[in-house]
Amino acid sequence: MTVPMTDIPSPPRPPQKGLVTWIWQNFFGSLGNSVLTLVILWILYKAITGAFTWAVLDATLAPATIRECIDAGGACWAFIQDKWRLILFGTYPFDQQWRPALALVLFLLLVIATCIPASWKTQERKRWMFGLWLVGILLIGVLMSGGLGLPHVEIRFWSGLPLTVLLAVVGMAACFLASILLALGRRSSMPAIRWICIVYIEVIRGVPLISLLFMANIMLPLLLPADVTIPNIVRAQVAFIMFFAAYMAETVRGGLQAVPDGQYAAAKAMGMGYWQSMIYIILPQALRITIPSMVNLFIAGFKDTSLVIVISMLDLLGTANAAKADPEWLGLFIEAYVFIAAIYLAVCASMSWYSRRIERRISMRQQH
Amino acid sequence: MMTTHRPPIIALRNVNKWYGNLHVLRDVNLEVSEGEKIVLCGPSGSGKSTAVFTINGLEAYQGGEVSVGGTVVSERDGTAHDLRRHVGMVFQQYNLFPHLSILENCCIGPMKILKVSRAEAEARAMEELARVQIADQALKYPEMLSGGQQQRVAICRALCMRPRVMLFDEPTSALDPEMVGEVLDVMSELSERGMTMIVVTHEMGFTKRVADRVVMMEQGSIIENLPPEQFFDRDLANPRVEAFLNQIMHA
């Protein structure tokens, strides 16, 4: 679509502007701009060459010892080559680590299949997707925990990347559902439900996540009968869900408020009950509006799983810390952090890329 | 007054409604027989839309009784909810569901509320859409259509529920003038098929052609309830009707 910006005829322009002219006008148009451009170029040059020298030119690959690394002066990738399995899979039995690896690959494939819009085109494909997820989750469970001939691995040995993914995925899925219920409750016409939701949301939002994790870890066992023991991971997970559900509920509430009253009236006039109108009419619209802020929360939540380190669980950050404690490599830590930062970045960047894609898709479908 | 032999399909008896201290419906009495077409008019704020909304329970009322097909409309015992599926509603702002295609807009009610199969619902929807010349747009989304087309779809959406009564709340007031005709044509055609209709509108040409009775409201009360030939007869006219008609003719 081309819309003329103004009715005033634009001044005659040279018929063709080359790249050089464009750069010259935009970056060196005035003295101030020229200085700024040069300073930024210099900073970029320093940063990029510095990083490149450290990560590539002066880097040391295996086989090497810490001595050789320090002499070379750059990144000690030999350390990562030695420790990557510890960082990725933590305390999971070493000879069984193909299992969490396979589980992660399986999960990634499921996610990719889910993210392809064509997977949801027909009713039949939808049923297939649900089936795939069901089978996938069962398989992942068996791989991680054992059974079908695989030796049992206790849940407390699950660590590293699988633990981070588990906390994030189960947490986000549960949060998503809980936040919808909380947001609907907060807008309920029944005062008791409304007030419970308001108090819950306000109290939980007013408390730091770390303190909730501590509480879940220390106080929850005190409140339960002595013979009931809940694994660490479940306690952390519950604290997590409680915390993010409260935040997400406010996002969902914003979306619900953005749906025009006419939509509620139309659904009601048609004869839909409360849940039908929410499920088929209101929530699909409200949740579309909230995609950007929802993904924002997912990204924050994914990274905040690393806070479980305070209750001594070994997620990806925990295993990276464990790796740097090895006396053989003592003094090295940047490499481990760069390694896990790359993993976090890849996941978060994919999430935000995908969310922009679906936003574009929805607006294109509905408006053009 | 017309004498009706069948029991009324819609009956409002001494209906009263307040918004806080504001008395928006005052002892409203109205009976509508099966197949009758009622046009409801009156100055803005006279309570005509509110009266229509009480019929399908979108607005609660505090005194009196509204019944549809002999059942009293009440939110408390759930009758309002059950009755709505038999009472089609067309809104001023169309209120199509923007996240659903035209076809899905028409199918969702029959499928989810009447539990009709998808194939049956789609066949029904395509039949209704074809009647209003929108069948070729069935896979588009509401925002891609003009206002007139959207309102025609909204009528189809209501008709797909196979209602016994159709309510129209100012169906042409939000439309550009050149699109009013196409929507009124659909409504006229519907009236010829014998649908019971209550239409809130200021389209007096349409009223003369289609209405069996014209009901005028003012300040929450019904002040006139006459067949169109008497309603528009200047010699008989109530001065308040005359004043109102003069106003909307000059608007």
Side-chain angles (χ1 to χ4, degrees):
Chain A
M1 206 166 65
T2 54
V3 178
M5 293 298 285
T6 84
D7 291 336
I8 304 161
S10 50
R13 285 186 189 173
Q16 190 156 23
K17 272 206 306 186
L19 183 64
V20 178
T21 327
W22 184 83
I23 289 175
W24 189 254
Q25 284 176 352
N26 285 283
F27 293 100
F28 298 96
S30 67
L31 183 66
N33 277 355
S34 309
V35 171
L36 209 60
T37 302
L38 290 174
V39 168
I40 289 169
L41 278 178
W42 183 76
I43 292 173
L44 277 178
Y45 169 77
K46 279 289 174 193
I48 291 170
T49 52
F52 187 73
T53 312
W54 178 80
V56 180
L57 296 182
D58 293 347
T60 321
L61 292 173
T65 60
I66 186 165
R67 215 31 290 142
E68 291 164 294
C69 279
I70 289 168
D71 290 343
C76 187
W77 298 129
F79 168 50
I80 299 297
Q81 279 167 295
D82 186 38
K83 291 292 174 199
W84 67 273
R85 284 181 63 169
L86 172 65
I87 295 175
L88 285 182
F89 304 117
T91 52
Y92 205 90
F94 195 77
D95 60 332
Q96 298 290 320
Q97 283 179 358
W98 61 272
R99 284 161 53 181
L102 189 58
L104 280 174
V105 170
L106 232 130
F107 176 74
L108 193 65
L109 290 177
L110 275 175
V111 169
I112 290 173
T114 308
C115 287
I116 298 169
S119 311
W120 301 93
K121 275 267 158 64
T122 62
Q123 287 301 107
E124 199 195 350
R125 287 189 200 169
K126 279 182 200 170
R127 273 196 290 275
W128 263 97
M129 288 306 293
F130 282 116
L132 272 180
W133 269 101
L134 213 67
V135 173
I137 288 170
L138 277 173
L139 269 176
I140 289 171
V142 168
L143 277 170
M144 290 300 292
S145 158
L148 301 177
L150 295 170
H152 180 58
V153 176
E154 267 186 67
I155 206 165
R156 62 195 166 94
F157 294 118
W158 301 9
S159 40
L161 188 57
L163 178 65
T164 294
V165 171
L166 183 77
L167 281 172
V169 171
V170 175
M172 292 303 148
C175 270
F176 184 65
L177 292 176
S179 69
I180 290 173
L181 293 177
L182 277 170
L184 291 176
R186 189 164 182 169
R187 285 167 60 84
S188 168
S189 54
M190 286 175 265
I193 292 180
R194 188 170 63 242
W195 279 103
I196 289 171
C197 292
I198 291 177
V199 168
Y200 176 86
I201 291 170
E202 295 305 331
V203 167
I204 297 291
R205 280 202 307 171
V207 175
L209 176 55
I210 287 200
S211 63
L212 272 181
L213 284 169
F214 275 129
M215 275 195 267
N217 200 39
I218 297 159
M219 285 171 60
L220 209 62
L222 298 179
L223 299 175
L224 291 167
D227 52 340
V228 180
T229 53
I230 302 177
N232 230 354
I233 184 170
V234 176
R235 279 180 264 162
Q237 186 82 79
V238 168
F240 231 78
I241 293 167
M242 285 175 66
F243 184 78
F244 274 99
Y247 269 90
M248 215 174 271
E250 289 297 278
T251 302
V252 175
R253 186 168 70 102
L256 288 172
Q257 271 165 350
V259 176
D261 287 340
Q263 295 291 311
Y264 290 84
K268 198 173 174 187
M270 194 178 257
M272 286 193 181
Y274 178 79
W275 288 108
Q276 278 183 324
S277 60
M278 285 303 148
I279 292 169
Y280 300 119
I281 308 299
I282 306 301
L283 283 172
Q285 297 182 54
L287 294 178
R288 270 166 210 199
I289 299 167
T290 58
I291 289 173
S293 33
M294 204 66 112
V295 171
N296 195 29
L297 279 175
F298 281 158
I299 287 173
F302 179 69
K303 291 179 300 173
D304 280 358
T305 53
S306 57
L307 286 172
V308 296
I309 203 164
V310 301
I311 54 169
S312 52
M313 286 176 68
L314 289 175
D315 75 322
L316 193 55
L317 182 61
T319 51
N321 279 330
K324 77 176 195 201
D326 183 343
E328 205 178 310
W329 298 100
L330 210 58
L332 295 178
F333 54 88
I334 298 174
E335 289 81 355
Y337 290 145
V338 167
F339 180 63
I340 63 163
I343 296 174
Y344 278 114
L345 182 64
V347 174
C348 294
S350 323
M351 280 199 269
S352 73
W353 169 78
Y354 186 69
S355 90
R356 269 176 316 203
R357 231 180 78 113
I358 42 180
E359 274 174 63
R360 251 206 322 274
R361 220 181 116 77
I362 289 170
S363 71
M364 264 166 52
R365 195 178 62 176
Q366 285 183 8
Q367 275 148 22
H368 300 288
Chain B
M1 287 291 282
M2 263 180 62
T3 48
T4 49
H5 303 289
R6 286 165 297 184
I9 185 164
I10 295 173
L12 284 77
R13 294 197 185 88
N14 292 321
V15 173
N16 278 282
K17 179 177 173 66
W18 287 266
Y19 284 126
N21 288 327
L22 195 64
H23 201 170
V24 286
L25 294 180
R26 296 167 194 262
D27 293 323
V28 172
N29 282 288
L30 182 67
E31 291 196 346
V32 183
S33 320
E34 194 135 24
E36 236 187 331
K37 291 105 187 82
I38 307 287
V39 163
L40 204 54
C41 61
S44 65
S46 58
K48 47 197 196 304
S49 295
T50 313
V52 164
F53 282 133
T54 61
I55 296 170
N56 66 353
L58 281 186
E59 289 275 7
Y61 52 94
Q62 283 89 34
E65 190 180 280
V66 176
S67 64
V68 177
T71 314
V72 175
V73 183
S74 156
E75 197 62 58
R76 214 164 290 136
D77 55 13
T79 47
H81 175 234
D82 294 335
L83 279 171
R84 277 180 205 125
R85 67 185 63 175
H86 305 299
V87 180
M89 176 92 211
V90 175
F91 297 87
Q92 187 177 352
Q93 300 292 346
Y94 341 128
N95 295 356
L96 292 178
F97 305 132
H99 63 297
L100 299 178
S101 70
I102 299 305
L103 184 63
E104 289 165 328
N105 261 280
C106 294
C107 288
I108 190 145
M111 281 170 62
K112 302 301 176 190
I113 300 160
L114 307 178
K115 311 290 178 200
V116 165
S117 75
R118 175 177 288 270
E120 158 74 21
E122 285 186 356
R124 206 186 262 196
M126 289 312 290
E127 184 193 325
E128 292 296 341
L129 290 170
R131 212 197 298 266
V132 301
Q133 282 99 45
I134 302 198
D136 53 335
Q137 322 262 14
L139 297 179
K140 291 194 178 172
Y141 283 80
E143 282 170 49
M144 306 171 190
L145 269 53
S146 73
Q149 289 174 320
Q150 289 193 49
Q151 193 61 297
R152 284 186 279 157
V153 172
I155 295 172
C156 289
R157 178 176 70 174
L159 289 176
C160 282
M161 293 292 288
R162 298 281 187 262
R164 298 178 62 192
V165 178
M166 283 285 282
L167 309 176
F168 296 82
D169 180 30
E170 308 209 23
T172 56
S173 340
L175 292 174
D176 289 336
E178 75 271 21
M179 294 170 183
V180 170
E182 62 191 64
V183 171
L184 292 180
D185 286 347
V186 169
M187 290 165 63
S188 304
E189 195 260 349
L190 181 62
S191 76
E192 282 157 25
R193 283 193 276 153
M195 177 62 75
T196 311
M197 293 162 68
I198 299 184
V199 185
V200 175
T201 187
H202 289 168
E203 296 293 337
M204 289 303 145
F206 170 82
T207 306
K208 283 175 190 161
R209 267 184 292 127
V210 171
D212 294 319
R213 271 187 295 148
V214 187
V215 174
M216 185 174 152
M217 289 185 73
E218 203 177 81
Q219 295 177 345
S221 309
I222 291 183
I223 60 163
E224 207 61 276
N225 184 347
L226 292 168
E229 44 294 357
Q230 290 173 39
F231 184 84
F232 291 108
D233 188 335
R234 296 273 156 144
D235 299 331
L236 297 175
N238 177 331
R240 287 193 285 177
V241 174
E242 175 108 46
F244 170 69
L245 288 177
N246 279 332
Q247 252 170 15
I248 59 169
M249 297 306 178
H250 292 145

